[in-house]
Amino acid sequence: FLLSNLASNINNSIFCASSFFFIVIKKFPKFKKMEEKKETSDAETALKATANLTISRGYKLPMAKLHVSGSISDGADDLKASKVAQRAIIFVIDRSGSMSGSRINMVKEALKPFVEEICVDENTILKLVLFDHNIEYVDIPREPSNARSVIEKRVHAQGGTDFHKASQGLVESSSKILQQFPSYQLTVIMCSDGEVGKQNAERGHQHWKEFVAEYAKVHKIPPYVETIGISSAHDADVLDGFICDDSAGNYCKCVDAQSIGEAFKNAQNETMGRTATRLHLRFPLNVCNEIYQKQSAKASNASFAAHDLIVSNNEFSADFWIDVHAFDNARASTKGRGGGASTADGDEDDDAALFIYINERRVAIDIREIRGTQECQYEAIDFYNQVLKDMLHTLRNITDAAQLKLKAQQIESELNSDYIQTFEALTAEPVEKQKMQKEIKRLLSVDAGADAGATGDDTSDTAAAFMVQRRAELMKQYKQMNQVWKRHRTVVSAFQHSLGCVKQLIREIILGQVRMQEIRQHILDLHFRKKHAKRISKLVLSDEALAKRQEMYEQVTAPDEKQCAEITDEVGTGCYLSTLSKREVVLDADPLWMCGRVNRKGGAAVSNPELLQIEYLSSDLVSDSYFRMAMEAASSDRNDNNEESDEWSAKAAFSDSSRQLINARLFPIYGNLAHYKCAKPFVSEALSHTLSGRRDIRCVDFNSLNAAIGFMVSRSNLTHKNVKRVLYEVVPSYRLWCAHSFAKPY
């Protein structure tokens, strides 16, 4: 009886439970789908991506840019197979006879601290392959002092140069690591000064590429290869041949110990920070990543519908180009079939008709059509900047001297015919800005001031007053518009710099004034964009430092009326270009400067500011913002191919009220402590321009301020105005500076 009741209760329970789930599924048909979508959503958080297609309708371009970017987190199950945490580094060092003396010593001195730092990492395997006409294998010990001793003893110059042997040694070491430690990611650092025959180099390249194909079957990505060319006589193409993928390698040319050390540090940063992942992208239309090749008749296969992207670290970004005509046809056919694509829910999505698939995960393409003049111009500059990069890449792939010269001549002809008008239109200053610059330049010129006051009668006085008023109005308008033009200058300057580099390289190839080896080194330097940035002086600020400086400027707050109550509001006490009083300048949080003319020849003052050569000290004060505008107006006719990162011409100058040319800010004048605090952030940039003619140089110290005071006291005429300025403006300002400026560690 009990068993019978128990069985009956169990059956009833099963019936109730099954009925409940039947009701749930019947009543909520998306219940199961929601669970599936939740799992999918959790998985997709590991890979986040966006795709943006920008089409310029105002400026007709044949291609539209597709920008794909995103991030990868460690939780992606389908990406873990591509992730590599452990590393193996193989140093391939040329120790042939040509490396004897300073070259091999420079390599050893750069190699020792590099190895000592990373040899203690148990997740890193270090191997050393030394080659001349033979090969020697060296295991790097874990203990730093032993590692240093091994390098000191084993790295020495002898014998000839054989890159096929070097490749054999590299492949043998790499194969052993792949067999014994298949999860370890491989990095190769190759250093040589050698020149070898073409056949020897090609055999070495082919042997290495066969191994890379096997390696990619295991890791899905190629090894990272850092190549370092020693001296100006090495064959750059021999080293470049070992780089199988530009995104997984780098070439740099080194001619001294410092640059070799920097190359090893760069290799360390790339090596220890690299966790590479291969992403497979599928596109809805054929795309290309080289516009110049796509436009040539020989590159009919330049477009593709799928692409493998190697991602270093956890973030990725890549640009592709889609034919605008093909895109318009595809979108028209999609609408003709009934509109949008269907989403995962089965609903139609009219706004996301095109998708890109990244590792089989669908990402909607955000389509943006632009028609504004400024936006279309920026998009056109991006397009033609890609054309310049593609031209450089085309030259990189040609190693034959005769063919390289022919291609350079073809590119030069295209730049001087097909592209010249387009580039002039793209890089031209806004028409309104050009008009204002010409008029301001005329009003600032010495002749204009002389003409206005030539006769000395009432009419000339009226004309002079009108000129001053007109100049002040123009400068005010220019200041308001300057923020709008700022981005234009930045974008155009970068494009002009790229164009100048390509033109210079082409002239070197055509004129034949440089050996073929050096031309190839130059091409590869520009292509990898690593060594090119190192040619600039150590004092040049990085893009990150410039961005931080600009951010600091934007955080400056102006004093209020109460803080400025004691500052004089008398006409003529502030900026002579704007007729603003000193109080008005302070309320604008604008630094106020004593200006003058300096001689920058020799450049000694850049590292020793106290040696600044001052030729003239003006009696007029100029605010910082108006000084900038006057210099921009004076630089309006600068060379378009100027390769300086600063947009002012080094020879630019404008005249003061005494009709003397001034080109530098020499000493800051502060109204009070509040003015000092808001104006001090601008001092370093102003003085760096005073010393070097550039604004992207770090100012080593502020001794040029002392030089300005010394010039004013000892070289200037001791007029009532000058003495009054020294006692009532310079001395209080200098006291504020000394009381609130400190040097580390005080």
Side-chain angles (χ1 to χ4, degrees), residues 569-634:
D569 197 27
E570 185 181 349
V571 176
T573 56
C575 175
Y576 100 97
L577 289 175
S578 63
T579 68
L580 294 173
S581 67
K582 183 180 289 189
R583 183 188 297 177
E584 289 172 325
V585 171
V586 175
L587 287 172
D588 286 341
D590 206 357
L592 192 61
W593 289 92
M594 281 199 314
C595 297
R597 184 173 64 253
V598 299
N599 186 345
R600 303 185 179 99
K601 289 183 180 179
V606 174
S607 54
N608 300 280
E610 67 275 8
L611 301 179
L612 179 66
Q613 299 181 48
I614 303 174
E615 296 180 344
Y616 168 72
L617 189 65
S618 175
S619 59
D620 298 318
L621 299 181
V622 182
S623 68
D624 196 82
S625 61
Y626 280 88
F627 180 90
R628 292 167 182 261
M629 288 185 284
M631 290 295 287
E632 286 176 14

Side-chain angles (χ1 to χ4, degrees), residues 720-737:
H720 173 76
K721 184 175 182 179
N722 285 343
V723 172
K724 184 178 179 181
R725 174 153 292 165
V726 169
L727 297 177
Y728 290 95
E729 291 185 304
V730 174
V731 171
S733 297
Y734 194 65
R735 283 177 176 168
L736 283 172
W737 176 268

Side-chain angles (χ1 to χ4, degrees), residues 105 161 220 299 482 736:
N105 290 333
T161 306
K220 311 301 181 186
N482 206 35
L736 283 172

Side-chain angles (χ1 to χ4, degrees), residues 92-108:
V92 184
I93 306 298
D94 182 355
R95 64 170 186 182
S96 59
S98 61
M99 287 284 289
S100 61
S102 61
R103 295 180 184 177
I104 198 70
N105 290 333
M106 288 188 299
V107 173
K108 285 166 64 175

Side-chain angles (χ1 to χ4, degrees), residues 422-441:
T422 301
F423 288 172
E424 286 177 355
L426 284 177
T427 57
E429 294 279 14
V431 177
E432 184 180 0
K433 182 177 181 180
Q434 292 181 28
K435 292 180 179 179
M436 293 180 70
Q437 283 180 335
K438 287 180 181 179
E439 189 168 359
I440 291 173
K441 186 177 181 180

Side-chain angles (χ1 to χ4, degrees), residues 260-538:
I260 295 174
E262 290 176 355
F264 272 87
K265 289 179 181 178
N266 174 70
Q268 181 183 12
N269 293 335
E270 293 287 350
T271 300
M272 305 309 291
R274 185 176 184 250
T275 54
T277 305
R278 182 184 291 271
L279 297 180
H280 182 69
L281 282 65
R282 287 195 295 117
F283 303 94
L285 298 170
N286 281 350
V287 302
C288 63
N289 50 16
E290 291 190 12
I291 301 172
Y292 181 68
Q293 291 290 351
K294 172 69 176 175
Q295 293 176 332
S296 66
K298 297 180 181 179
S300 57
N301 60 345
S303 59
F304 46 83
H307 180 72
D308 287 335
L309 180 67
I310 296 177
V311 179
S312 297
N313 299 321
N314 294 327
E315 296 184 353
F316 61 93
S317 176
D319 290 334
F320 303 93
W321 300 87
I322 294 180
D323 186 280
V324 175
H325 183 67
F327 167 78
D328 290 338
N329 290 340
R331 187 159 63 168
S333 62
T334 302
K335 291 181 179 179
R337 290 195 303 267
S342 60
T343 65
D345 296 332
D347 301 325
E348 286 199 344
D349 183 4
D350 294 329
D351 295 328
L354 294 177
F355 297 88
I356 182 175
Y357 289 84
I358 305 177
N359 279 17
E360 301 307 319
R361 295 180 183 177
R362 189 171 70 169
V363 178
I365 298 177
D366 181 22
I367 302 170
R368 178 169 168 259
E369 297 187 12
I370 57 175
R371 290 180 169 80
T373 304
Q374 204 70 47
E375 286 184 304
C376 290
Q377 184 183 24
Y378 295 154
E379 201 63 30
I381 288 177
D382 279 348
F383 175 83
Y384 288 107
N385 200 38
Q386 182 65 44
V387 171
L388 295 178
K389 293 178 183 178
D390 295 344
M391 288 177 175
L392 184 61
H393 188 263
T394 301
L395 295 173
R396 181 216 173 185
N397 293 331
I398 303 173
T399 57
D400 181 76
Q403 293 182 6
L404 184 64
K405 187 172 183 178
L406 287 174
K407 191 62 182 179
Q409 290 172 340
Q410 177 189 337
I411 292 176
E412 184 182 48
S413 176
E414 292 173 351
L415 289 175
N416 293 331
S417 57
D418 300 346
Y419 294 106
I420 186 168
Q421 292 183 351
T422 301
F423 288 172
E424 286 177 355
L426 284 177
T427 57
E429 294 279 14
V431 177
E432 184 180 0
K433 182 177 181 180
Q434 292 181 28
K435 292 180 179 179
M436 293 180 70
Q437 283 180 335
K438 287 180 181 179
E439 189 168 359
I440 291 173
K441 186 177 181 180
R442 181 181 63 81
L443 294 173
L444 289 172
S445 67
V446 176
D447 293 339
D451 293 341
T455 61
D457 55 16
D458 294 340
T459 304
S460 62
D461 291 340
T462 304
F466 174 78
M467 185 186 72
V468 171
Q469 184 64 30
R470 176 58 181 163
R471 183 180 63 199
E473 293 175 357
L474 274 175
M475 296 292 267
K476 186 175 182 180
Q477 294 175 16
Y478 195 96
K479 182 179 180 180
Q480 293 172 347
M481 293 296 297
N482 206 35
Q483 293 299 321
V484 179
W485 297 327
K486 187 174 183 179
R487 187 189 171 194
H488 178 273
R489 291 197 303 270
T490 303
V491 174
V492 168
S493 297
F495 178 76
Q496 289 173 337
H497 178 73
S498 299
L499 179 60
C501 289
V502 173
K503 285 185 174 181
Q504 178 188 356
L505 175 62
I506 289 172
R507 295 309 301 164
E508 288 179 2
I509 297 172
I510 294 174
L511 295 176
Q513 296 175 341
V514 184
R515 292 192 316 131
M516 183 64 182
Q517 288 94 332
E518 295 183 19
I519 290 174
R520 295 297 303 160
Q521 293 164 14
H522 191 178
I523 292 173
L524 291 170
D525 274 345
L526 291 178
H527 176 77
F528 284 101
R529 297 181 178 274
K530 299 260 183 179
K531 180 65 168 48
H532 183 68
K534 297 175 185 175
R535 293 177 181 159
I536 307 174
S537 169
K538 288 182 182 179

